[in-house]
Amino acid sequence: MQQFPCPFCGLRDETEFHFGAEAGKHRPEPAPDVSDADWADYLYGTDAPKGAAREVWVHLTCGEFFVMTRDTVTRAVLGADALPGRNI
Ligand SMILES: [Zn+2]
């Protein structure tokens, strides 16, 4: 079983984590002006980069969201950082 690093709790089993979203993906605004294509891309589109990818994850045990950088080829965890504005 792989272990992931929570910036607040340290290394934990992967079963304690849940994927949230791609990091840096922003909801298109204002909603009345968003086209169907842009909304569908926001909901279902992914960049799926080969190599390092920044993703938002939540550690279910402590309930904290953070950004984890993973290599999508090797599955190696390259880093885990608290979200901006969060003091640790
Ligand atoms: Zn945690």
Side-chain angles (χ1 to χ4, degrees):
M1 176 179 300
Q2 188 171 13
Q3 291 196 316
F4 290 157
C6 171
F8 308 95
C9 307
L11 284 176
R12 297 290 193 269
D13 289 344
E14 64 181 294
T15 56
E16 294 184 18
F17 295 84
H18 187 75
F19 176 80
E22 293 176 51
K25 190 172 186 176
H26 298 286
R27 181 184 175 123
E29 298 283 352
D33 298 336
V34 177
S35 70
D36 290 345
D38 287 345
W39 185 247
D41 183 56
Y42 168 72
L43 292 177
Y44 305 111
T46 59
D47 287 342
K50 185 175 182 179
R54 290 173 40 83
E55 304 165 328
V56 176
W57 285 76
V58 60
H59 183 204
L60 301 171
T61 305
C62 71
E64 294 286 349
F65 287 81
F66 63 98
V67 174
M68 182 161 44
T69 304
R70 299 187 312 138
D71 188 309
T72 59
V73 177
T74 66
R75 300 179 60 193
V77 176
L78 306 174
D81 302 297
L83 292 174
R86 178 70 167 89
N87 296 321
I88 58 173

